[in-house]
Structure formats: C-alpha cells, structure tokens
Amino acid sequence: MSTPRIVLLASGTGSLFEALANEQEAKGFKIVALITDAHVPALEIAQRFEIPTFIVPMTPERSVWDESMLMTLRSLHPDLVVSAGFMRILDPKIVDEFEGKLINTHPALSPEFPGAHAVRDALAAGVTVTGTTVHFVDAGVDTGAIIDQVSVEILPDDTQASLHERIKVQERILLVETVEKIISNKIKYENGSVITQ
Ligand code: GRF
C-alpha cells in the first residue's frame, strides 16, 4: 500500500502542522504539501521539512480563489486534507469533493464557540472548561461530524494567549492521534457520521 498523502492547510504559526511533520515518518504518512492563504510563519516550517508549499491568496472575486484552491488540492491527490488553523471557509464544491477526507481542528468543545474567536469567546463566557475538537468538515462553520475532543481547564489568571497555548498542547497530540487512526482505518466517515472500527 502506498504511503498516505496528506495536505495541510494553515494560515498562522503552523505549530500543529509542525507536530504532524515531526511524526510523519514514524506514523507512516507523508505531508506532500502545505497550502496557505498568505505569507505566514508556517511556510518556514515547511521549508525546514522540505515540504512543498502553495500560497493561494484570497482574490477580490471569491470564486477565483475557490477555483484555485480546488485545482491545487486536486493536483496533489491527497488521501487526507488537514485544516490546522486555516482561517478561510472552503467552498462547498471542495467540501463535497473531499468529503470524508477533510478534517479540521477547532480550539473549543464543539458545538460550543464556533468561528474564528473560540478561545476569546470561551474566556468571555466565563466557562471553567473548554478544549479542542477534531471533526470532519462539512458545509458549515466548525459543524462537521466530531471525531474526538479533549477538555482543557480554564485557569483564573488565563489570558487568551495562555489558554490557547494550553489548548494547542492538546491539539498537537490529538491531531497526530486522529490522523494515525484515519490512515489506519480505525476511523472512517460514512454518510456524515464517524465510524470507529
Ligand atoms: C489551532 O488552535 C487551531 O485549532 C485553530 O488555529 C490554531 C492553529 O495553531 N484553528 P498553529 O498555527 O498551528 O500554531
């Protein structure tokens, strides 16, 4: 069986991408590309691992960007696409074409705190526990079938930065575990649901 091909999507520092890159040989998968929507620090991590990069900047006409993303993803023939801090919503055409092969990690216990400010919103809500969720991507925002979640306690003196970093510690572990389970068919996606083998 050929080595599973994984494509990462990132828009930021890329520490989750780096966690996967560090494990790719040991876990038996290959990150064949990093796609970003701008010149972001994650690109430097890709260079360090000699992983090809594709920058697909947002265009004034959204449909042009959508098409560029679709063509770029198709050209890479991924077995799995991992959105790890990618701050763009993917076009439904992409979500449909890669359904079951497209996962996202969200820094909250979905369905709580969807959207781009989950950590800030959890702090503002005054909850004492938040966490991270890895899920298959559907046409909604952070709403796809949940694969796994890990809780993270919010400490009284937490700032958004301290809380988010503590969440990321768990995300890096959970994301590697989840990718490994998917490529080894311990987790499958069927008709919108997660099947654990
Ligand atoms: C992660 O917390 C992820 O859940 C969120 O963006 C963050 C990405 O972190 N969507 P990094 O850029 O990989 O460090």
Side-chain angles (χ1 to χ4, degrees):
M1 180 187 141
S2 62
T3 304
R5 297 169 57 84
I6 296 183
V7 169
L8 262 287
L9 310 180
S11 299
T13 52
S15 73
L16 276 60
F17 157 51
E18 184 175 32
L20 282 170
N22 279 323
E23 293 295 326
Q24 58 184 335
E25 277 180 41
K27 305 291 185 186
F29 58 84
K30 181 174 175 52
I31 300 175
V32 296
L34 169 72
I35 301 176
T36 69
D37 57 332
H39 288 271
V40 297
L43 293 166
E44 284 134 47
I45 297 171
Q47 279 151 14
R48 187 153 35 90
F49 284 92
E50 297 180 347
I51 293 171
T53 59
F54 297 79
I55 302 172
V56 186
M58 181 49 68
T59 49
E61 178 53 51
R62 171 93 200 205
S63 59
V64 171
W65 183 81
D66 291 337
E67 196 61 22
S68 299
M69 282 296 291
L70 180 58
M71 291 299 131
T72 304
L73 283 166
R74 277 180 180 163
S75 72
L76 293 163
H77 306 288
D79 296 295
L80 183 65
V81 181
V82 180
S83 168
F86 193 60
M87 301 315 280
R88 302 290 180 179
I89 302 299
L90 295 171
D91 183 69
K93 268 198 305 184
I94 295 173
V95 174
D96 288 348
E97 181 158 327
F98 291 92
E99 183 179 16
K101 298 197 291 185
L102 177 56
I103 65 172
N104 178 52
T105 175
H106 182 65
L109 293 175
S110 302
E112 291 173 11
F113 312 119
H117 306 290
V119 178
R120 181 199 69 186
D121 296 348
L123 269 177
V127 295
T128 55
V129 176
T130 184
T132 178
T133 302
V134 183
H135 62 93
F136 285 102
V137 173
D138 66 8
V141 177
D142 303 321
T143 55
I146 291 174
I147 299 170
D148 208 347
Q149 298 185 292
V150 171
S151 298
V152 173
E153 189 187 2
I154 297 180
L155 304 176
D157 59 347
D158 257 331
T159 62
Q160 184 174 331
S162 65
L163 174 56
H164 200 169
E165 187 44 44
R166 209 161 55 253
I167 292 171
K168 286 188 189 182
V169 168
Q170 297 306 323
E171 287 190 295
R172 294 176 194 126
I173 297 165
L174 187 61
L175 196 53
V176 171
E177 286 176 355
T178 301
V179 167
E180 188 180 15
K181 286 176 181 173
I182 290 174
I183 65 171
S184 56
N185 283 319
K186 292 191 184 86
I187 291 175
K188 289 179 76 173
Y189 176 91
E190 269 178 30
N191 304 320
S193 298
V194 178
I195 310 292
T196 305
Q197 310 272 58

